PDB file of all heavy atoms in Angstrom:
ATOM      1  N   GLU U 198     141.638  51.334 101.180  1.00 93.00           N
ATOM      2  CA  GLU U 198     140.865  51.601 102.392  1.00 93.00           C
ATOM      3  C   GLU U 198     139.784  50.519 102.542  1.00 93.00           C
ATOM      4  O   GLU U 198     139.265  50.013 101.553  1.00 93.00           O
ATOM      5  CB  GLU U 198     140.226  52.978 102.327  1.00 93.00           C
ATOM      6  CG  GLU U 198     141.244  54.112 102.273  1.00 93.00           C
ATOM      7  CD  GLU U 198     140.578  55.472 102.165  1.00 93.00           C
ATOM      8  OE1 GLU U 198     139.327  55.514 102.205  1.00 93.00           O
ATOM      9  OE2 GLU U 198     141.302  56.474 102.018  1.00 93.00           O
ATOM     10  N   ASN U 199     139.469  50.208 103.799  1.00 91.00           N
ATOM     11  CA  ASN U 199     138.508  49.131 104.031  1.00 91.00           C
ATOM     12  C   ASN U 199     137.316  49.600 104.836  1.00 91.00           C
ATOM     13  O   ASN U 199     137.343  50.676 105.442  1.00 91.00           O
ATOM     14  CB  ASN U 199     139.189  47.939 104.731  1.00 91.00           C
ATOM     15  CG  ASN U 199     139.855  48.330 106.036  1.00 91.00           C
ATOM     16  OD1 ASN U 199     139.207  48.860 106.943  1.00 91.00           O
ATOM     17  ND2 ASN U 199     141.145  48.063 106.161  1.00 91.00           N
ATOM     18  N   PHE U 200     136.290  48.795 104.822  1.00 90.00           N
ATOM     19  CA  PHE U 200     135.090  49.032 105.633  1.00 90.00           C
ATOM     20  C   PHE U 200     134.549  47.688 106.079  1.00 90.00           C
ATOM     21  O   PHE U 200     134.816  46.663 105.459  1.00 90.00           O
ATOM     22  CB  PHE U 200     134.048  49.828 104.838  1.00 90.00           C
ATOM     23  CG  PHE U 200     133.557  49.131 103.600  1.00 90.00           C
ATOM     24  CD1 PHE U 200     132.426  48.324 103.619  1.00 90.00           C
ATOM     25  CD2 PHE U 200     134.243  49.281 102.396  1.00 90.00           C
ATOM     26  CE1 PHE U 200     131.981  47.682 102.475  1.00 90.00           C
ATOM     27  CE2 PHE U 200     133.804  48.634 101.247  1.00 90.00           C
ATOM     28  CZ  PHE U 200     132.671  47.838 101.292  1.00 90.00           C
ATOM     29  N   ARG U 201     133.785  47.710 107.148  1.00 87.00           N
ATOM     30  CA  ARG U 201     133.288  46.471 107.746  1.00 87.00           C
ATOM     31  C   ARG U 201     131.794  46.291 107.540  1.00 87.00           C
ATOM     32  O   ARG U 201     131.032  47.256 107.570  1.00 87.00           O
ATOM     33  CB  ARG U 201     133.578  46.443 109.259  1.00 87.00           C
ATOM     34  CG  ARG U 201     135.041  46.215 109.600  1.00 87.00           C
ATOM     35  CD  ARG U 201     135.245  46.146 111.104  1.00 87.00           C
ATOM     36  NE  ARG U 201     136.613  45.792 111.440  1.00 87.00           N
ATOM     37  CZ  ARG U 201     137.042  44.543 111.587  1.00 87.00           C
ATOM     38  NH1 ARG U 201     136.184  43.528 111.452  1.00 87.00           N
ATOM     39  NH2 ARG U 201     138.297  44.299 111.888  1.00 87.00           N
ATOM     40  N   LEU U 202     131.418  45.050 107.322  1.00 85.00           N
ATOM     41  CA  LEU U 202     130.025  44.633 107.338  1.00 85.00           C
ATOM     42  C   LEU U 202     129.945  43.441 108.278  1.00 85.00           C
ATOM     43  O   LEU U 202     130.177  42.303 107.873  1.00 85.00           O
ATOM     44  CB  LEU U 202     129.533  44.256 105.931  1.00 85.00           C
ATOM     45  CG  LEU U 202     129.399  45.387 104.904  1.00 85.00           C
ATOM     46  CD1 LEU U 202     128.982  44.836 103.553  1.00 85.00           C
ATOM     47  CD2 LEU U 202     128.385  46.429 105.385  1.00 85.00           C
ATOM     48  N   GLY U 203     129.670  43.727 109.549  1.00 80.00           N
ATOM     49  CA  GLY U 203     129.752  42.669 110.558  1.00 80.00           C
ATOM     50  C   GLY U 203     131.195  42.291 110.780  1.00 80.00           C
ATOM     51  O   GLY U 203     132.046  43.150 111.046  1.00 80.00           O
ATOM     52  N   ASN U 204     131.504  40.993 110.678  1.00 81.00           N
ATOM     53  CA  ASN U 204     132.878  40.532 110.827  1.00 81.00           C
ATOM     54  C   ASN U 204     133.644  40.546 109.506  1.00 81.00           C
ATOM     55  O   ASN U 204     134.844  40.251 109.474  1.00 81.00           O
ATOM     56  CB  ASN U 204     132.893  39.116 111.408  1.00 81.00           C
ATOM     57  CG  ASN U 204     132.370  39.069 112.837  1.00 81.00           C
ATOM     58  OD1 ASN U 204     132.582  40.029 113.599  1.00 81.00           O
ATOM     59  ND2 ASN U 204     131.712  37.983 113.210  1.00 81.00           N
ATOM     60  N   ALA U 205     132.969  40.821 108.425  1.00 86.00           N
ATOM     61  CA  ALA U 205     133.603  40.837 107.112  1.00 86.00           C
ATOM     62  C   ALA U 205     134.279  42.181 106.878  1.00 86.00           C
ATOM     63  O   ALA U 205     133.713  43.233 107.178  1.00 86.00           O
ATOM     64  CB  ALA U 205     132.572  40.574 106.017  1.00 86.00           C
ATOM     65  N   VAL U 206     135.489  42.133 106.345  1.00 87.00           N
ATOM     66  CA  VAL U 206     136.256  43.329 106.057  1.00 87.00           C
ATOM     67  C   VAL U 206     136.465  43.430 104.547  1.00 87.00           C
ATOM     68  O   VAL U 206     137.114  42.553 103.950  1.00 87.00           O
ATOM     69  CB  VAL U 206     137.620  43.320 106.762  1.00 87.00           C
ATOM     70  CG1 VAL U 206     138.388  44.603 106.453  1.00 87.00           C
ATOM     71  CG2 VAL U 206     137.451  43.152 108.264  1.00 87.00           C
ATOM     72  N   PHE U 207     135.929  44.456 103.941  1.00 91.00           N
ATOM     73  CA  PHE U 207     136.046  44.659 102.500  1.00 91.00           C
ATOM     74  C   PHE U 207     136.915  45.877 102.231  1.00 91.00           C
ATOM     75  O   PHE U 207     136.962  46.810 103.033  1.00 91.00           O
ATOM     76  CB  PHE U 207     134.679  44.879 101.852  1.00 91.00           C
ATOM     77  CG  PHE U 207     133.749  43.698 101.947  1.00 91.00           C
ATOM     78  CD1 PHE U 207     132.858  43.591 103.004  1.00 91.00           C
ATOM     79  CD2 PHE U 207     133.777  42.712 100.985  1.00 91.00           C
ATOM     80  CE1 PHE U 207     131.988  42.513 103.096  1.00 91.00           C
ATOM     81  CE2 PHE U 207     132.926  41.618 101.054  1.00 91.00           C
ATOM     82  CZ  PHE U 207     132.020  41.529 102.115  1.00 91.00           C
ATOM     83  N   THR U 208     137.582  45.877 101.115  1.00 94.00           N
ATOM     84  CA  THR U 208     138.273  47.074 100.642  1.00 94.00           C
ATOM     85  C   THR U 208     137.512  47.612  99.436  1.00 94.00           C
ATOM     86  O   THR U 208     136.745  46.897  98.778  1.00 94.00           O
ATOM     87  CB  THR U 208     139.723  46.767 100.221  1.00 94.00           C
ATOM     88  OG1 THR U 208     139.712  45.850  99.112  1.00 94.00           O
ATOM     89  CG2 THR U 208     140.507  46.151 101.375  1.00 94.00           C
ATOM     90  N   TYR U 209     137.737  48.880  99.125  1.00 96.00           N
ATOM     91  CA  TYR U 209     137.092  49.461  97.954  1.00 96.00           C
ATOM     92  C   TYR U 209     137.632  48.837  96.661  1.00 96.00           C
ATOM     93  O   TYR U 209     136.974  48.866  95.630  1.00 96.00           O
ATOM     94  CB  TYR U 209     137.281  50.975  97.953  1.00 96.00           C
ATOM     95  CG  TYR U 209     136.505  51.662  99.041  1.00 96.00           C
ATOM     96  CD1 TYR U 209     137.135  52.208 100.158  1.00 96.00           C
ATOM     97  CD2 TYR U 209     135.112  51.748  98.979  1.00 96.00           C
ATOM     98  CE1 TYR U 209     136.421  52.839 101.172  1.00 96.00           C
ATOM     99  CE2 TYR U 209     134.383  52.370  99.984  1.00 96.00           C
ATOM    100  CZ  TYR U 209     135.040  52.912 101.074  1.00 96.00           C
ATOM    101  OH  TYR U 209     134.323  53.505 102.079  1.00 96.00           O
ATOM    102  N   GLY U 210     138.813  48.244  96.758  1.00 95.00           N
ATOM    103  CA  GLY U 210     139.345  47.521  95.625  1.00 95.00           C
ATOM    104  C   GLY U 210     138.514  46.295  95.294  1.00 95.00           C
ATOM    105  O   GLY U 210     138.297  45.971  94.115  1.00 95.00           O
ATOM    106  N   VAL U 211     138.042  45.591  96.310  1.00 96.00           N
ATOM    107  CA  VAL U 211     137.172  44.430  96.103  1.00 96.00           C
ATOM    108  C   VAL U 211     135.877  44.865  95.445  1.00 96.00           C
ATOM    109  O   VAL U 211     135.378  44.221  94.513  1.00 96.00           O
ATOM    110  CB  VAL U 211     136.901  43.717  97.444  1.00 96.00           C
ATOM    111  CG1 VAL U 211     135.803  42.655  97.275  1.00 96.00           C
ATOM    112  CG2 VAL U 211     138.169  43.089  97.986  1.00 96.00           C
ATOM    113  N   VAL U 212     135.309  45.974  95.936  1.00 96.00           N
ATOM    114  CA  VAL U 212     134.073  46.486  95.351  1.00 96.00           C
ATOM    115  C   VAL U 212     134.290  46.845  93.878  1.00 96.00           C
ATOM    116  O   VAL U 212     133.455  46.525  93.016  1.00 96.00           O
ATOM    117  CB  VAL U 212     133.583  47.719  96.129  1.00 96.00           C
ATOM    118  CG1 VAL U 212     132.355  48.332  95.465  1.00 96.00           C
ATOM    119  CG2 VAL U 212     133.272  47.357  97.577  1.00 96.00           C
ATOM    120  N   ALA U 213     135.421  47.472  93.568  1.00 96.00           N
ATOM    121  CA  ALA U 213     135.732  47.837  92.183  1.00 96.00           C
ATOM    122  C   ALA U 213     135.848  46.603  91.305  1.00 96.00           C
ATOM    123  O   ALA U 213     135.372  46.596  90.163  1.00 96.00           O
ATOM    124  CB  ALA U 213     137.022  48.659  92.140  1.00 96.00           C
ATOM    125  N   MET U 214     136.506  45.559  91.812  1.00 96.00           N
ATOM    126  CA  MET U 214     136.642  44.329  91.037  1.00 96.00           C
ATOM    127  C   MET U 214     135.291  43.716  90.702  1.00 96.00           C
ATOM    128  O   MET U 214     135.015  43.341  89.556  1.00 96.00           O
ATOM    129  CB  MET U 214     137.500  43.307  91.808  1.00 96.00           C
ATOM    130  CG  MET U 214     137.633  41.969  91.090  1.00 96.00           C
ATOM    131  SD  MET U 214     138.377  40.684  92.111  1.00 96.00           S
ATOM    132  CE  MET U 214     137.102  40.428  93.375  1.00 96.00           C
ATOM    133  N   VAL U 215     134.421  43.605  91.717  1.00 96.00           N
ATOM    134  CA  VAL U 215     133.099  42.988  91.515  1.00 96.00           C
ATOM    135  C   VAL U 215     132.283  43.812  90.524  1.00 96.00           C
ATOM    136  O   VAL U 215     131.641  43.281  89.611  1.00 96.00           O
ATOM    137  CB  VAL U 215     132.365  42.842  92.855  1.00 96.00           C
ATOM    138  CG1 VAL U 215     130.937  42.365  92.631  1.00 96.00           C
ATOM    139  CG2 VAL U 215     133.120  41.861  93.753  1.00 96.00           C
ATOM    140  N   LEU U 216     132.297  45.137  90.684  1.00 97.00           N
ATOM    141  CA  LEU U 216     131.537  46.012  89.769  1.00 97.00           C
ATOM    142  C   LEU U 216     132.069  45.915  88.352  1.00 97.00           C
ATOM    143  O   LEU U 216     131.295  45.878  87.383  1.00 97.00           O
ATOM    144  CB  LEU U 216     131.570  47.452  90.267  1.00 97.00           C
ATOM    145  CG  LEU U 216     130.776  47.764  91.534  1.00 97.00           C
ATOM    146  CD1 LEU U 216     130.977  49.214  91.949  1.00 97.00           C
ATOM    147  CD2 LEU U 216     129.299  47.457  91.342  1.00 97.00           C
ATOM    148  N   LEU U 217     133.390  45.888  88.200  1.00 97.00           N
ATOM    149  CA  LEU U 217     133.982  45.816  86.860  1.00 97.00           C
ATOM    150  C   LEU U 217     133.589  44.521  86.173  1.00 97.00           C
ATOM    151  O   LEU U 217     133.193  44.525  85.002  1.00 97.00           O
ATOM    152  CB  LEU U 217     135.507  45.912  86.954  1.00 97.00           C
ATOM    153  CG  LEU U 217     136.256  45.740  85.628  1.00 97.00           C
ATOM    154  CD1 LEU U 217     135.935  46.901  84.687  1.00 97.00           C
ATOM    155  CD2 LEU U 217     137.760  45.642  85.867  1.00 97.00           C
ATOM    156  N   VAL U 218     133.673  43.408  86.892  1.00 97.00           N
ATOM    157  CA  VAL U 218     133.304  42.109  86.294  1.00 97.00           C
ATOM    158  C   VAL U 218     131.832  42.098  85.918  1.00 97.00           C
ATOM    159  O   VAL U 218     131.453  41.610  84.847  1.00 97.00           O
ATOM    160  CB  VAL U 218     133.644  40.967  87.263  1.00 97.00           C
ATOM    161  CG1 VAL U 218     133.047  39.642  86.779  1.00 97.00           C
ATOM    162  CG2 VAL U 218     135.149  40.831  87.428  1.00 97.00           C
ATOM    163  N   ALA U 219     130.990  42.662  86.779  1.00 97.00           N
ATOM    164  CA  ALA U 219     129.547  42.698  86.494  1.00 97.00           C
ATOM    165  C   ALA U 219     129.251  43.526  85.246  1.00 97.00           C
ATOM    166  O   ALA U 219     128.468  43.125  84.381  1.00 97.00           O
ATOM    167  CB  ALA U 219     128.791  43.250  87.693  1.00 97.00           C
ATOM    168  N   VAL U 220     129.907  44.692  85.129  1.00 97.00           N
ATOM    169  CA  VAL U 220     129.681  45.565  83.967  1.00 97.00           C
ATOM    170  C   VAL U 220     130.157  44.885  82.688  1.00 97.00           C
ATOM    171  O   VAL U 220     129.477  44.883  81.654  1.00 97.00           O
ATOM    172  CB  VAL U 220     130.384  46.911  84.162  1.00 97.00           C
ATOM    173  CG1 VAL U 220     130.391  47.727  82.869  1.00 97.00           C
ATOM    174  CG2 VAL U 220     129.702  47.715  85.262  1.00 97.00           C
ATOM    175  N   LEU U 221     131.356  44.287  82.734  1.00 97.00           N
ATOM    176  CA  LEU U 221     131.887  43.625  81.559  1.00 97.00           C
ATOM    177  C   LEU U 221     131.056  42.407  81.170  1.00 97.00           C
ATOM    178  O   LEU U 221     130.883  42.103  79.982  1.00 97.00           O
ATOM    179  CB  LEU U 221     133.341  43.213  81.787  1.00 97.00           C
ATOM    180  CG  LEU U 221     134.362  44.355  81.832  1.00 97.00           C
ATOM    181  CD1 LEU U 221     135.755  43.827  82.129  1.00 97.00           C
ATOM    182  CD2 LEU U 221     134.372  45.134  80.523  1.00 97.00           C
ATOM    183  N   TRP U 222     130.545  41.691  82.164  1.00 96.00           N
ATOM    184  CA  TRP U 222     129.669  40.551  81.854  1.00 96.00           C
ATOM    185  C   TRP U 222     128.444  41.026  81.086  1.00 96.00           C
ATOM    186  O   TRP U 222     128.044  40.398  80.095  1.00 96.00           O
ATOM    187  CB  TRP U 222     129.238  39.857  83.144  1.00 96.00           C
ATOM    188  CG  TRP U 222     128.258  38.734  82.898  1.00 96.00           C
ATOM    189  CD1 TRP U 222     128.547  37.427  82.615  1.00 96.00           C
ATOM    190  CD2 TRP U 222     126.828  38.826  82.877  1.00 96.00           C
ATOM    191  NE1 TRP U 222     127.394  36.708  82.420  1.00 96.00           N
ATOM    192  CE2 TRP U 222     126.326  37.530  82.576  1.00 96.00           C
ATOM    193  CE3 TRP U 222     125.920  39.867  83.098  1.00 96.00           C
ATOM    194  CZ2 TRP U 222     124.967  37.268  82.489  1.00 96.00           C
ATOM    195  CZ3 TRP U 222     124.557  39.597  82.989  1.00 96.00           C
ATOM    196  CH2 TRP U 222     124.092  38.313  82.696  1.00 96.00           C
ATOM    197  N   TYR U 223     127.845  42.115  81.521  1.00 97.00           N
ATOM    198  CA  TYR U 223     126.668  42.642  80.822  1.00 97.00           C
ATOM    199  C   TYR U 223     127.040  43.089  79.415  1.00 97.00           C
ATOM    200  O   TYR U 223     126.323  42.783  78.448  1.00 97.00           O
ATOM    201  CB  TYR U 223     126.082  43.821  81.602  1.00 97.00           C
ATOM    202  CG  TYR U 223     124.872  44.429  80.906  1.00 97.00           C
ATOM    203  CD1 TYR U 223     123.605  43.887  81.049  1.00 97.00           C
ATOM    204  CD2 TYR U 223     125.028  45.541  80.058  1.00 97.00           C
ATOM    205  CE1 TYR U 223     122.512  44.429  80.405  1.00 97.00           C
ATOM    206  CE2 TYR U 223     123.939  46.089  79.408  1.00 97.00           C
ATOM    207  CZ  TYR U 223     122.673  45.531  79.584  1.00 97.00           C
ATOM    208  OH  TYR U 223     121.598  46.061  78.920  1.00 97.00           O
ATOM    209  N   ILE U 224     128.154  43.799  79.265  1.00 97.00           N
ATOM    210  CA  ILE U 224     128.549  44.295  77.970  1.00 97.00           C
ATOM    211  C   ILE U 224     128.832  43.151  77.006  1.00 97.00           C
ATOM    212  O   ILE U 224     128.414  43.167  75.837  1.00 97.00           O
ATOM    213  CB  ILE U 224     129.779  45.202  78.098  1.00 97.00           C
ATOM    214  CG1 ILE U 224     129.401  46.513  78.822  1.00 97.00           C
ATOM    215  CG2 ILE U 224     130.393  45.527  76.734  1.00 97.00           C
ATOM    216  CD1 ILE U 224     130.575  47.398  79.137  1.00 97.00           C
ATOM    217  N   LEU U 225     129.535  42.140  77.474  1.00 96.00           N
ATOM    218  CA  LEU U 225     129.906  41.016  76.603  1.00 96.00           C
ATOM    219  C   LEU U 225     128.704  40.176  76.192  1.00 96.00           C
ATOM    220  O   LEU U 225     128.708  39.561  75.128  1.00 96.00           O
ATOM    221  CB  LEU U 225     130.942  40.135  77.292  1.00 96.00           C
ATOM    222  CG  LEU U 225     132.354  40.728  77.432  1.00 96.00           C
ATOM    223  CD1 LEU U 225     133.221  39.870  78.321  1.00 96.00           C
ATOM    224  CD2 LEU U 225     133.001  40.889  76.055  1.00 96.00           C
ATOM    225  N   ASN U 226     127.670  40.141  77.038  1.00 95.00           N
ATOM    226  CA  ASN U 226     126.548  39.260  76.772  1.00 95.00           C
ATOM    227  C   ASN U 226     125.309  39.965  76.227  1.00 95.00           C
ATOM    228  O   ASN U 226     124.412  39.299  75.695  1.00 95.00           O
ATOM    229  CB  ASN U 226     126.163  38.498  78.045  1.00 95.00           C
ATOM    230  CG  ASN U 226     127.180  37.466  78.432  1.00 95.00           C
ATOM    231  OD1 ASN U 226     127.212  36.359  77.906  1.00 95.00           O
ATOM    232  ND2 ASN U 226     128.059  37.818  79.360  1.00 95.00           N
ATOM    233  N   HIS U 227     125.251  41.291  76.347  1.00 96.00           N
ATOM    234  CA  HIS U 227     124.017  41.974  75.979  1.00 96.00           C
ATOM    235  C   HIS U 227     124.223  43.199  75.093  1.00 96.00           C
ATOM    236  O   HIS U 227     123.305  44.017  74.975  1.00 96.00           O
ATOM    237  CB  HIS U 227     123.265  42.402  77.256  1.00 96.00           C
ATOM    238  CG  HIS U 227     122.844  41.232  78.096  1.00 96.00           C
ATOM    239  ND1 HIS U 227     121.775  40.427  77.807  1.00 96.00           N
ATOM    240  CD2 HIS U 227     123.379  40.742  79.246  1.00 96.00           C
ATOM    241  CE1 HIS U 227     121.650  39.485  78.727  1.00 96.00           C
ATOM    242  NE2 HIS U 227     122.615  39.647  79.616  1.00 96.00           N
ATOM    243  N   THR U 228     125.394  43.340  74.495  1.00 96.00           N
ATOM    244  CA  THR U 228     125.626  44.457  73.584  1.00 96.00           C
ATOM    245  C   THR U 228     126.205  43.937  72.276  1.00 96.00           C
ATOM    246  O   THR U 228     126.802  42.856  72.226  1.00 96.00           O
ATOM    247  CB  THR U 228     126.577  45.514  74.175  1.00 96.00           C
ATOM    248  OG1 THR U 228     127.890  44.933  74.295  1.00 96.00           O
ATOM    249  CG2 THR U 228     126.098  45.989  75.533  1.00 96.00           C
ATOM    250  N   ALA U 229     126.052  44.750  71.219  1.00 96.00           N
ATOM    251  CA  ALA U 229     126.604  44.378  69.915  1.00 96.00           C
ATOM    252  C   ALA U 229     128.127  44.280  69.982  1.00 96.00           C
ATOM    253  O   ALA U 229     128.735  43.388  69.373  1.00 96.00           O
ATOM    254  CB  ALA U 229     126.180  45.403  68.864  1.00 96.00           C
ATOM    255  N   TRP U 230     128.756  45.205  70.714  1.00 97.00           N
ATOM    256  CA  TRP U 230     130.215  45.160  70.841  1.00 97.00           C
ATOM    257  C   TRP U 230     130.678  43.833  71.460  1.00 97.00           C
ATOM    258  O   TRP U 230     131.645  43.236  70.978  1.00 97.00           O
ATOM    259  CB  TRP U 230     130.695  46.332  71.704  1.00 97.00           C
ATOM    260  CG  TRP U 230     132.189  46.435  71.803  1.00 97.00           C
ATOM    261  CD1 TRP U 230     133.027  47.042  70.911  1.00 97.00           C
ATOM    262  CD2 TRP U 230     133.020  45.919  72.849  1.00 97.00           C
ATOM    263  NE1 TRP U 230     134.318  46.938  71.335  1.00 97.00           N
ATOM    264  CE2 TRP U 230     134.356  46.261  72.521  1.00 97.00           C
ATOM    265  CE3 TRP U 230     132.770  45.207  74.027  1.00 97.00           C
ATOM    266  CZ2 TRP U 230     135.425  45.916  73.340  1.00 97.00           C
ATOM    267  CZ3 TRP U 230     133.829  44.867  74.842  1.00 97.00           C
ATOM    268  CH2 TRP U 230     135.155  45.219  74.494  1.00 97.00           C
ATOM    269  N   GLY U 231     129.981  43.379  72.487  1.00 96.00           N
ATOM    270  CA  GLY U 231     130.338  42.101  73.101  1.00 96.00           C
ATOM    271  C   GLY U 231     130.205  40.939  72.127  1.00 96.00           C
ATOM    272  O   GLY U 231     131.075  40.057  72.071  1.00 96.00           O
ATOM    273  N   ARG U 232     129.118  40.934  71.350  1.00 96.00           N
ATOM    274  CA  ARG U 232     128.951  39.866  70.353  1.00 96.00           C
ATOM    275  C   ARG U 232     130.039  39.917  69.293  1.00 96.00           C
ATOM    276  O   ARG U 232     130.503  38.887  68.810  1.00 96.00           O
ATOM    277  CB  ARG U 232     127.565  39.975  69.723  1.00 96.00           C
ATOM    278  CG  ARG U 232     126.424  39.609  70.671  1.00 96.00           C
ATOM    279  CD  ARG U 232     125.115  39.501  69.929  1.00 96.00           C
ATOM    280  NE  ARG U 232     124.650  40.814  69.434  1.00 96.00           N
ATOM    281  CZ  ARG U 232     123.901  41.633  70.138  1.00 96.00           C
ATOM    282  NH1 ARG U 232     123.527  41.332  71.371  1.00 96.00           N
ATOM    283  NH2 ARG U 232     123.510  42.795  69.622  1.00 96.00           N
ATOM    284  N   HIS U 233     130.484  41.129  68.941  1.00 97.00           N
ATOM    285  CA  HIS U 233     131.544  41.270  67.963  1.00 97.00           C
ATOM    286  C   HIS U 233     132.871  40.717  68.508  1.00 97.00           C
ATOM    287  O   HIS U 233     133.653  40.124  67.762  1.00 97.00           O
ATOM    288  CB  HIS U 233     131.713  42.731  67.574  1.00 97.00           C
ATOM    289  CG  HIS U 233     130.539  43.280  66.810  1.00 97.00           C
ATOM    290  ND1 HIS U 233     130.370  44.628  66.564  1.00 97.00           N
ATOM    291  CD2 HIS U 233     129.472  42.656  66.246  1.00 97.00           C
ATOM    292  CE1 HIS U 233     129.259  44.802  65.881  1.00 97.00           C
ATOM    293  NE2 HIS U 233     128.689  43.625  65.683  1.00 97.00           N
ATOM    294  N   VAL U 234     133.127  40.934  69.793  1.00 97.00           N
ATOM    295  CA  VAL U 234     134.344  40.402  70.412  1.00 97.00           C
ATOM    296  C   VAL U 234     134.370  38.888  70.312  1.00 97.00           C
ATOM    297  O   VAL U 234     135.370  38.279  69.908  1.00 97.00           O
ATOM    298  CB  VAL U 234     134.443  40.856  71.885  1.00 97.00           C
ATOM    299  CG1 VAL U 234     135.554  40.101  72.611  1.00 97.00           C
ATOM    300  CG2 VAL U 234     134.686  42.350  71.970  1.00 97.00           C
ATOM    301  N   TYR U 235     133.262  38.240  70.649  1.00 96.00           N
ATOM    302  CA  TYR U 235     133.188  36.788  70.560  1.00 96.00           C
ATOM    303  C   TYR U 235     133.306  36.328  69.101  1.00 96.00           C
ATOM    304  O   TYR U 235     133.967  35.310  68.815  1.00 96.00           O
ATOM    305  CB  TYR U 235     131.868  36.269  71.137  1.00 96.00           C
ATOM    306  CG  TYR U 235     131.870  36.144  72.644  1.00 96.00           C
ATOM    307  CD1 TYR U 235     131.287  37.121  73.457  1.00 96.00           C
ATOM    308  CD2 TYR U 235     132.462  35.054  73.273  1.00 96.00           C
ATOM    309  CE1 TYR U 235     131.269  37.016  74.831  1.00 96.00           C
ATOM    310  CE2 TYR U 235     132.475  34.939  74.657  1.00 96.00           C
ATOM    311  CZ  TYR U 235     131.873  35.909  75.433  1.00 96.00           C
ATOM    312  OH  TYR U 235     131.872  35.797  76.802  1.00 96.00           O
ATOM    313  N   ALA U 236     132.668  37.054  68.188  1.00 96.00           N
ATOM    314  CA  ALA U 236     132.697  36.670  66.777  1.00 96.00           C
ATOM    315  C   ALA U 236     134.113  36.728  66.228  1.00 96.00           C
ATOM    316  O   ALA U 236     134.536  35.845  65.462  1.00 96.00           O
ATOM    317  CB  ALA U 236     131.771  37.575  65.974  1.00 96.00           C
ATOM    318  N   ILE U 237     134.864  37.757  66.587  1.00 96.00           N
ATOM    319  CA  ILE U 237     136.253  37.893  66.129  1.00 96.00           C
ATOM    320  C   ILE U 237     137.107  36.753  66.666  1.00 96.00           C
ATOM    321  O   ILE U 237     137.932  36.183  65.945  1.00 96.00           O
ATOM    322  CB  ILE U 237     136.827  39.255  66.535  1.00 96.00           C
ATOM    323  CG1 ILE U 237     136.124  40.367  65.755  1.00 96.00           C
ATOM    324  CG2 ILE U 237     138.334  39.308  66.311  1.00 96.00           C
ATOM    325  CD1 ILE U 237     136.472  41.762  66.234  1.00 96.00           C
TER     326      ILE U 237
END
Side-chain angles (χ1 to χ4, degrees):
E198 297 178 4
N199 57 57
F200 61 93
R201 287 182 174 271
L202 292 177
N204 293 326
V206 181
F207 296 93
T208 63
Y209 291 108
V211 170
V212 176
M214 177 190 68
V215 173
L216 289 177
L217 176 66
V218 170
V220 169
L221 289 177
W222 176 87
Y223 178 83
I224 291 173
L225 288 170
N226 289 279
H227 298 283
T228 67
W230 185 84
R232 290 190 292 271
H233 293 168
V234 169
Y235 279 101
I237 291 172

